[in-house]
Each structure stands twice: as C-alpha cells, then as structure tokens.
Amino acid sequence: MPSHLFADRPAQPPEPGAVDALISQTRRLRGEVDAVRRDAVADEDDPQQRWQRALCDLAVHQLDDLGAHLGQLRAGVPASTAPEDGAGDIEVAVDTARAIAPGTAYGAAAPPRTGSLLSRVGSAEWNLLTDEVSWSEELFQIFGRPRESGAMSLDEMPTMVFAEDQPVLQGMVTDCLIDGKPIDGEFRIVRTDGRVRTVHMTGEPVLDADGCTASMWAVLRDVSELRRSERAVRESRDSLERSRHMERTERRVAVELQEAVLPPWRGSLRFAHDGPAPLDVAAHYLPAASTGLIGGDWYDALALPGGDALLTVGDLTGHGVAATSSMAMLLGALRGMAVAGIRPAALMGHLNQLLETSVQPALGSAMCCRYDPVAQTLVWAQAGHPAPLLFRNGTGHALRRPEGVLLGATAGGAYGEAETRLLPGDLLVLHTDGLTRGSGWDDDTGTRRLLALGPRLAEARDAQDGVRAVVEEFGEEAREDDACVMVVRVTG
C-alpha cells in the first residue's frame, strides 16, 4: 500500500477544497484493504490470519464511516452539525491500515499514541474449552473496567449492557458459538463510572479439528462519538427540512394573499373611455432575488365615484405572511377611504394612524394620486416615497414632492399635497424604492437610469409596453428588496 497513506497526521478537520480528494483517497484505501482481507481467508487455522481479517473488517467499517462523513461535508451539512470526529476517523483508518500493512507483525503492533482514537478499539478472545478470557488493554479502557478486576466472561458481559440491547448481544453470541456465524452488531453499555457508551462488535468463531467452536475472537470499537454526531446530523437535517417546509408554506400563503389583494388585471387597464382624457394603466410586481419570501409592496388603480381615478403604490417593511397581511389591511383601508372621497393628504394621515396602532408594528412608504379626467389634474400625496416621474415628449423628470413622513414613524405626521396638470400623451411612472435603490441614501443611479428610458417610453404603444421596457431594464437585477412599478398613460 502507498506509504503516504499511513503517515502520521494531526487530527485536523479536512479543508472544504480537499473533500473530493479525501473521498478518492478513502475509496482507494478501502479497495486495498479489501484486497488484503481477501488474502487473509487463505488459512482459517492461522491465528495471525484471523487477526488480520478482523483488523481488515474494522478498517472497512472505519473507512465506510469516513466516506459517509465526507459525503455529508460535500453535500453541504452545516459545519455546526458536521461529525466532530471526521479527522479522528481518518486517523483511526490510517492506524488500522498501518496495522495490517504488509510486513507488520499482526497482534504485535505498537501501542496506540496518547489521545489516538485507536485507543477506542480493543480485542478479546473467549476460549470455550479452557474458560480462559483474554482482553486487550484498550478493551478495559472502553468498558471502564479496572485491570485487576479481570476480563469478563461471555456470561458476565450482559450485566453491563442496556436491558433492551441484551437480546442483541445474546443473539450475536449464540449465532456465533452454535451456528458458526460471524458477529457484526452494536449495543450500549453502562460503564462502572456511569458513562454510557455505544460499542460495535465484530467477531467470528474459531473451530477445532472436528469443526466445533473452540473459541471466539472479537474486535470491539467504541463508536459513541460517531453515533452521537450521526444523530446530530439527522436532527439537523430534520430541522432544516422542517424549516424549509415552513418557508415554502409561508411563501405559498403570502403569494395567495398577495394575488387575492392586488388587482387581477394583467394587461392594460383603461379608465374613463368616454371622458376627455382617459387613462391607460399597467403594473408589475418584481420579487426580491435575495429571499424567496414575498414582501409588502403593492400597486392599485381604481375607478372612483364621479369619474376620478385612484392610483397608488406603496411598500411595507418585512416579508412573508406578516407583511402581506398588513399590506392587505392597509390597501383595503386606502380603497375604502378613497371611495368615500377623502383627499390624498388626509388619506395618508389616516393610514399613518392605522399603521401606528396596528398589532403588527411596521413602517411603510406610500404614494396616493387622484386624477380628475375633466380638469386633467393629478393631485397626490406621499409618505416617505419616491416622487412620480413624468415623461413628456420623451423627456422625464421627477415631480416636486410635498411633505410627508413614513407611515408608522411618528404620531400625527403632517402630509401635504401637490397638483400637476397632465396632457394627452403624458406618461407617469410610479414605483417603490426597491426598483431604483442604490448603495447609499444619496445614490440616484437607479432614478437616472429610469429617466433615461424616456425615448423608449415615448415609443411605447400602450402602458403595458411601457411596463415591459422598465422590467427589461431592471427585472434581471439581484435586488435585495421586492419592488413594483406602475405606468400610467394619458390617452385622450
């Protein structure tokens, strides 16, 4: 076998970049151990051959466990739950393989290094003809049994084994002694110091000249830390799966709630077909790329009694069901007050009070516009929200913002109104700040990019075509927050 596989190494966990190399190395080593194990069955009567095969079986167990650990690391098991003995398993596998390397005197290997996990592997032989029992020093350490107390007979062993595991041990021993079957199983023991350990036992019968069982060999390995880490991995996976299931459920509920609240129209929406200046409206929601959860952004367009039109966009902090449920509450209140004739500035004040006293505290920005098609005027108010962008003849600019603080930020916040006259062919772009947010509060790169779309928007056939142009410009970006955009075109 390659000598570099058996070089002494510190018990350090493998680097992530070396996991694939360690997996390949483990597979090669296991194949070589298998080759030695096949050669070891040539002489069943040779004690050294039996001991060699037992060590091979142990090495195979170690390498299989190591392969499973490395596979978990490659699959992305969280580091906090990755098996803590991964590096130790490499050391045990290497030490065991060293013990069975060609030229080694089987059964006469050097004692395990201080602190080596090989000290958790012991051997035993029970002679049925002489009632002699032979335990290695390591086996006394595993069982926590003083050397002066002597080795335990097969009849005494169950006294240290968990009651529910005693049938397992007795079945393995009976199958080995009576039917000549090899032993391979696990059981838990309670040491004299009260500590509970899990022991993996492999063994086989030794037959006399008449084919009867004369003695039994066994190699016992303390696998307590390994099983504990495997349980931690399983529990972590279960917890992760539960969390993912909850996230999927929350996302589904949030999406369904959002779809139930936001306007159902997907194309252009036309207002006041018979009026002097009808509107063509379209909107689109863009989810955040950094999270799978739906946020609290909204858009809405509503025909009001008397022929006016309500246009609004807004954004609540947070994501998931809490944000979408608060958004639904706020949007429902906004629609009701707008239908009742409350003007935009007063409407913002009522929304601020509603959000301030909500059971689920949140902050929000919003813009509410009321368009009079007869006077062709747009009256609007805002609460900490980007101003509408007005495009006329291919050139855009932001409208002057009236005063207004974030919704839910302060009690009794003041909100002003602004009025703008719109002309046929004008185009408004209303959006939430997630669309144009830059790296800092004074970064207006996104707004300038949006204004630069003026020539393309001037060529848009309708509002939906305008929305498509905005989405093509901003839709593929890895934004940290969700956003929505509404395009309003005066078509009269």
Side-chain angles (χ1 to χ4, degrees):
M1 297 183 186
S3 60
H4 71 276
L5 293 178
F6 309 121
D8 289 342
R9 299 173 186 169
Q12 298 292 332
E15 293 294 331
V19 171
D20 287 335
L22 286 172
I23 291 176
S24 298
Q25 187 180 28
T26 301
R27 290 172 178 170
R28 289 196 302 270
L29 181 57
R30 193 190 190 285
E32 293 168 355
V33 172
D34 272 336
V36 175
R37 181 166 57 173
R38 287 193 297 271
D39 294 339
V41 301
D43 188 355
E44 292 285 349
D45 297 326
D46 187 345
Q48 288 189 350
Q49 293 279 17
R50 290 195 301 269
W51 178 242
Q52 182 185 22
R53 190 169 67 177
L55 285 175
C56 285
D57 290 338
L58 173 63
V60 168
H61 278 294
Q62 296 279 0
L63 292 168
D64 286 343
D65 289 338
L66 175 58
H69 285 181
L70 293 174
Q72 291 164 358
L73 288 175
R74 185 169 62 179
V77 175
S80 60
T81 60
E84 60 189 29
D85 278 345
D89 283 344
I90 298 175
E91 186 177 352
V92 173
V94 169
D95 282 339
T96 308
R98 181 191 289 117
I100 63 176
T104 301
Y106 307 122
R113 299 186 302 274
T114 302
S116 168
L117 288 183
L118 194 57
S119 62
R120 297 180 185 174
V121 179
S123 61
E125 182 179 5
W126 290 272
N127 192 311
L128 304 182
L129 302 179
T130 64
D131 290 332
E132 290 180 314
V133 182
S134 174
W135 274 22
S136 68
E137 183 62 35
E138 293 78 21
L139 198 54
F140 282 98
Q141 296 177 15
I142 291 173
F143 277 78
R145 184 175 175 85
R147 189 70 176 81
E148 56 271 18
S149 298
M152 299 179 70
S153 68
L154 290 175
D155 292 333
E156 294 175 306
M157 285 269 291
T159 61
M160 295 189 68
V161 177
F162 266 49
E164 53 265 40
D165 291 354
Q166 289 177 9
V168 176
L169 175 62
Q170 292 171 350
M172 289 191 300
V173 172
T174 300
D175 289 344
C176 180
L177 298 182
I178 296 179
D179 299 328
K181 296 180 179 179
I183 287 177
D184 190 347
E186 287 184 11
F187 52 87
R188 292 164 296 172
I189 63 171
V190 181
R191 293 164 36 118
T192 54
D193 58 7
R195 296 173 61 189
V196 176
R197 311 300 293 175
T198 301
V199 177
H200 188 104
M201 182 176 180
T202 59
E204 60 180 27
V206 180
L207 306 181
D208 59 16
D210 298 327
C212 299
T213 302
S215 63
M216 187 181 78
W217 285 72
V219 174
L220 295 94
R221 172 187 170 207
D222 185 346
V223 295
S224 305
E225 280 71 25
L226 174 62
R227 299 299 175 248
R228 186 179 300 116
S229 63
E230 288 175 345
R231 285 195 301 271
V233 169
R234 288 194 300 270
E235 292 170 359
S236 175
R237 284 176 173 170
D238 292 343
S239 176
L240 184 60
E241 182 57 33
R242 286 194 298 270
S243 297
R244 288 174 176 171
H245 176 71
M246 291 176 63
E247 289 176 0
R248 289 192 296 266
T249 302
E250 182 176 0
R251 174 177 172 77
R252 185 177 67 252
V253 172
V255 169
E256 292 175 353
L257 181 57
Q258 183 193 60
E259 291 178 346
V261 173
L262 295 186
W265 37 271
R266 292 294 180 263
S268 294
L269 180 67
R270 299 182 183 274
F271 287 98
H273 289 276
D274 300 327
L279 297 181
D280 177 19
V281 182
H284 186 76
Y285 173 84
L286 297 92
S290 59
T291 176
L293 295 179
I294 299 298
D297 285 47
W298 80 78
Y299 61 84
D300 196 16
L302 185 66
L304 300 176
D308 287 0
L310 170 71
L311 307 169
T312 178
V313 293
D315 177 19
L316 286 181
T317 56
H319 293 86
V321 174
T324 51
S325 61
S326 295
M327 178 268 288
M329 173 197 69
L330 214 61
L331 186 53
L334 189 154
R335 288 169 174 168
M337 288 186 286
V339 169
I342 298 178
R343 292 180 60 83
L347 195 152
M348 288 290 104
H350 291 308
L351 291 183
N352 178 62
Q353 183 179 8
L354 180 63
L355 197 59
E356 181 190 0
T357 58
S358 174
V359 176
Q360 297 177 335
L363 294 176
S365 69
M367 174 172 44
C368 180
C369 306
R370 190 178 183 110
Y371 177 67
D372 181 348
V374 176
Q376 299 183 19
T377 55
L378 182 80
V379 178
W380 68 287
Q382 63 85 27
H385 200 86
L389 303 182
L390 173 61
F391 292 84
R392 181 173 292 169
N393 300 323
T395 302
H397 69 278
L399 298 182
R400 181 185 61 83
R401 290 176 62 194
E403 64 175 331
V405 297
L406 285 172
L407 300 177
T410 180
Y415 298 93
E417 283 184 352
E419 182 175 321
T420 302
R421 189 166 188 273
L422 299 182
L423 302 177
D426 284 351
L427 188 143
L428 283 173
V429 175
L430 316 179
H431 65 90
T432 57
D433 62 354
L435 184 71
T436 57
R437 181 180 298 144
S439 58
W441 65 271
D442 58 347
D443 186 353
D444 63 347
T445 304
T447 301
R448 286 189 280 109
R449 285 173 56 197
L450 194 52
L451 290 172
L453 292 176
R456 290 182 60 186
L457 295 176
E459 297 175 357
R461 293 167 298 179
D462 53 21
Q464 183 63 31
D465 202 20
V467 167
R468 190 175 297 109
V470 176
V471 173
E472 288 175 356
E473 175 68 22
F474 293 91
E476 299 299 326
E477 296 182 359
R479 64 182 51 81
E480 296 182 359
D481 196 8
D482 48 351
C484 63
V485 58
M486 176 184 288
V487 173
V488 182
R489 187 182 183 193
V490 183
T491 61

